[in-house]
Amino acid sequence: MTKYHHIKSFLFLILLCVILTTGCAHSPGPSSATLPVAKSSPQPILLASTSEQSTAQSAVDAVNPLDDEYKEDELVDEYAKNAVQEERVEIADPLETVNRAMHQFNDKLYFWALKPVAQGYKAIVPEPARVSVKNFFSNLGFPARFLSCLLQADFSGVATETGRFTINTIWGIGGLLDPSAGKELDLQKQDTDLGQTLGVWGVGQGFYIVWPVFGPSSPRDSVSIVGDYFLYPVSYISPWYAGGGVKAYEEVNATSLRIGDYEALKDAAVDPYVAFRDAYAQYRFKKIKARKAKPNPSVPAAEKSSLVKPALPEKGD
Amino acid sequence: MEKRLTGLVIILTLLMFSLPVYAGMPMTTAEATVNKVLNVLRDPKLKSPASKEIKKETLRVIYKDMFDEIEFSKRTLARNWNKLNPTQRAEFVNLFEQILEKSYADKILDYTNEKVVFYKENMLSDVQAEIQSKIVTASKEIPIFYRMILKDGKWRVYDVVVENVSLVQNYRTQFNDILAKDTPEKLLETLRKKVSKN
């Protein structure tokens, strides 16, 4: 019975999403078309860089024979200019002192709590089961991805997500399996969120924030943390601590599949705090760039020409 | 029967000799090198933990050839390259290489039958290319892009982009941060400490 209750509240949630989006579509809708243009003065250069700039760049390279490695004077700007694809991605960090403290806190949280628990869990539960659990939770993340695609006017993404959710829920045993990502259907998860949506609309990153538990973020991406909370069915489990428990379990499961990644990144870094900040900035920047570059039938042709060239194609072949 | 076998040997020999012709392409170069690495990792003769050092040694030869360590260092320091004198530069290249090797060698040695797929070659310019590959594990796919540069007729890697994060840029931000406050000597000191640790 409780099961039905959940499905009902879930359906209500989807309905809410739809109402919300159709409601919102009137106000941010047009701005989503204008904002990127207004804001995107550096963007065309970045996106067009692959074709036009590269030819110009090769000329630069020809002038800059790379074998005279220790040539003094001419080097100054070469490497800043030599950005065939290396856009400079930086994020302001006015809260560095607080952020560093939070970074330390999260580091300890990982090594003292999350990692030991995840290791124990990993020893007991075989990998295929853990992958299924991950799929299950990922399937529940559908509302947030669906809404984000919709708000980005990415209708193929909306269709893909809807298809995935239906197929994986019905044929994938409630989302435990991911048959839609297989070769035949090839419906890949739309890895997007509300922070990216704002980014696509032209909202800048702002500055760097490290939240306790949630980790690296920015004012813009913090919207994701809040939005995802409300769009994530697990948040509606009552009592609240049961929902919290489920989320903690989800995190342990996810961590068990990537033990060693954090350690490797940290060990490789000269200043781990700066390394993670930069990785975060680069990662978000390129994700949003890829979302913007996604060929979209709803975007006007003039705008499209600058957007069509995907700097980072999502799939090969 | 024997004739056919000789024919096969001849064809195979011809194929082997004709391979270097294609090795001029960046993607082929990257793929060949990565396959060499995978062969070492998969080698049943080197499976025992005792042969870990032999493996490391064999791999070192392969990736020394694969990476352009000076280009890597220069791009990482960018403007700051000029603040270092030639001796400091040489030391920096050496230390940076050791740090990278130390951090990633163990990760590579952890390899257990994940699949590596090369799928795209993007020419960034006449002498620069981005090779896109991915590592496929049971639970996820990790995109790894190699940025390569053609020097003296040879394609070598100058940057690795893992999951959208460029290594060169990541270290550049870190070194910039240090060099904004401290001298190059201080940076080298930090690197020396990191290398000698553990």
Side-chain angles (χ1 to χ4, degrees):
Chain A
M1 270 207 293
T2 42
K3 213 194 234 166
Y4 283 114
H5 192 74
H6 270 118
I7 292 172
K8 224 194 225 167
S9 63
F10 190 51
L11 279 176
F12 170 73
L13 203 71
I14 296 176
L15 205 73
L16 195 80
C17 296
V18 174
I19 293 167
L20 252 170
T21 46
T22 42
C24 289
H26 295 293
S27 43
S31 64
S32 73
T34 47
L35 259 177
V37 184
K39 228 260 166 184
S40 68
S41 41
Q43 288 308 324
I45 309 162
L46 300 180
L47 292 165
S49 65
T50 18
S51 60
E52 285 168 22
Q53 266 204 321
S54 59
T55 41
Q57 215 56 55
S58 64
V60 174
D61 282 334
V63 185
N64 163 32
L66 293 143
D67 40 345
D68 54 354
E69 280 124 19
Y70 298 100
K71 205 172 166 192
E72 293 281 350
D73 344 295
E74 282 172 41
L75 262 168
V76 185
D77 268 317
E78 224 97 290
Y79 287 95
K81 258 194 291 170
N82 203 350
V84 175
Q85 262 205 346
E86 293 173 24
E87 324 73 8
R88 310 192 73 180
V89 187
E90 265 157 27
I91 184 163
D93 192 3
L95 306 175
E96 189 170 338
T97 329
V98 187
N99 282 345
R100 276 193 190 264
M102 284 307 145
H103 176 80
Q104 275 304 313
F105 173 80
N106 287 341
D107 184 77
K108 295 285 173 281
L109 186 72
Y110 176 77
F111 282 108
W112 292 351
L114 192 54
K115 192 184 173 187
V117 176
Q119 266 171 330
Y121 172 75
K122 187 183 179 183
I124 304 165
V125 185
E127 190 174 21
R130 286 182 283 129
V131 172
S132 286
V133 170
K134 184 185 157 214
N135 286 340
F136 175 77
F137 283 116
S138 162
N139 196 43
L140 289 183
F142 159 75
R145 293 193 298 269
F146 175 84
L147 180 63
S148 299
C149 285
L150 205 60
L151 293 177
Q152 289 170 31
D154 171 15
F155 297 113
S156 71
V158 169
T160 306
E161 271 302 321
T162 314
R164 276 180 58 82
F165 181 70
T166 319
I167 292 162
N168 287 353
T169 306
I170 297 172
W171 281 282
I173 324 174
L176 287 174
L177 305 174
D178 188 1
S180 2
K183 264 202 184 104
E184 289 83 16
L185 294 167
D186 195 26
L187 295 173
Q188 303 303 331
K189 187 166 112 182
Q190 303 295 304
D191 189 14
T192 188
D193 52 49
L194 295 174
Q196 281 180 32
T197 305
L198 290 175
V200 170
W201 287 356
V203 178
Q205 280 207 103
F207 51 90
Y208 189 54
I209 305 173
V210 182
W211 291 109
V213 183
F214 293 106
S217 193
S218 67
R220 185 187 70 198
D221 291 339
S222 299
V223 171
S224 274
I225 300 175
V226 180
D228 286 347
Y229 175 84
F230 287 108
L231 290 167
Y232 197 40
V234 172
S235 309
Y236 295 87
I237 293 175
S238 62
W240 65 269
Y241 49 81
V246 171
K247 278 187 187 168
Y249 168 64
E250 180 191 356
E251 193 51 42
V252 168
N253 183 74
T255 307
S256 78
L257 290 165
R258 51 160 199 258
I259 286 178
D261 288 3
Y262 176 74
E263 291 86 331
L265 265 166
K266 193 187 162 192
D267 288 344
V270 179
D271 181 347
Y273 170 77
V274 176
F276 278 99
R277 184 182 72 199
D278 176 78
Y280 167 78
Q282 281 196 50
Y283 183 78
R284 293 300 289 184
F285 176 83
K286 287 183 192 158
K287 276 273 176 203
I288 289 162
K289 198 170 119 180
R291 292 300 300 181
K292 276 186 187 165
K294 206 174 171 192
N296 211 325
S298 64
V299 180
E303 203 179 318
K304 210 173 154 183
S305 59
S306 69
L307 292 176
V308 153
K309 202 149 231 155
L312 286 167
E314 301 204 324
K315 285 192 308 261
D317 306 318
Chain B
M1 182 66 199
E2 212 166 16
K3 232 181 203 170
R4 208 186 279 171
L5 207 71
T6 347
L8 198 73
V9 169
I10 291 172
I11 290 171
L12 277 179
T13 327
L14 279 175
L15 271 176
M16 262 165 71
F17 279 110
S18 56
L19 268 179
V21 177
Y22 300 103
M25 303 302 288
M27 175 127 118
T28 332
T29 315
E31 200 169 357
T33 320
V34 170
N35 281 336
K36 260 195 254 170
V37 171
L38 292 180
N39 282 338
V40 174
L41 294 173
R42 283 176 189 147
D43 195 340
K45 277 177 281 175
L46 298 172
K47 272 279 179 283
S48 70
S51 51
K52 200 173 167 185
E53 281 310 310
I54 308 173
K55 255 200 252 185
K56 272 192 183 171
E57 209 50 57
T58 327
L59 290 177
R60 186 172 297 136
V61 179
I62 300 171
Y63 55 67
K64 280 244 179 192
D65 189 52
M66 181 185 195
F67 287 97
D68 187 333
E69 74 274 10
I70 291 171
E71 190 69 25
F72 214 105
S73 298
K74 268 165 84 177
R75 281 173 187 270
T76 305
L77 282 183
R79 269 158 222 274
N80 292 318
W81 182 253
N82 286 328
K83 291 189 191 160
L84 275 66
N85 62 41
T87 343
Q88 287 175 322
R89 285 174 185 172
E91 194 187 355
F92 176 82
V93 172
N94 182 10
L95 288 170
F96 190 33
E97 208 180 355
Q98 285 186 58
I99 287 174
L100 288 175
E101 184 184 318
K102 229 178 185 170
S103 329
Y104 294 103
D106 284 328
K107 193 87 184 142
I108 291 167
L109 289 175
D110 276 347
Y111 170 86
T112 50
N113 279 322
E114 287 93 354
K115 229 171 60 191
V116 180
V117 188
F118 280 82
Y119 60 91
K120 198 159 186 257
E121 174 182 293
N122 265 346
M123 292 304 285
L124 305 176
S125 74
D126 290 343
V127 291
Q128 275 165 287
E130 183 180 74
I131 310 304
Q132 307 191 343
S133 76
K134 59 185 174 190
I135 297 179
V136 185
T137 72
S139 56
K140 58 187 178 260
E141 287 185 358
I142 306 158
I144 297 187
F145 300 169
Y146 300 92
R147 297 204 173 137
M148 303 180 85
I149 190 159
L150 181 67
K151 267 196 233 173
D152 305 326
K154 199 165 176 188
W155 286 97
R156 293 174 89 199
V157 176
Y158 70 83
D159 190 6
V160 182
V161 184
V162 182
E163 205 132 16
N164 281 338
V165 177
S166 144
L167 268 189
V168 164
Q169 271 193 53
N170 195 266
Y171 280 104
R172 190 188 295 159
T173 315
Q174 296 176 54
F175 294 150
N176 258 339
D177 202 69
I178 293 170
L179 287 172
K181 299 172 222 152
D182 283 313
T183 57
E185 184 47 40
K186 186 87 186 161
L187 171 69
L188 289 174
E189 188 52 46
T190 317
L191 297 184
R192 270 182 228 128
K193 254 188 221 148
K194 191 162 172 59
V195 168
S196 59
K197 210 169 62 182
N198 61 58

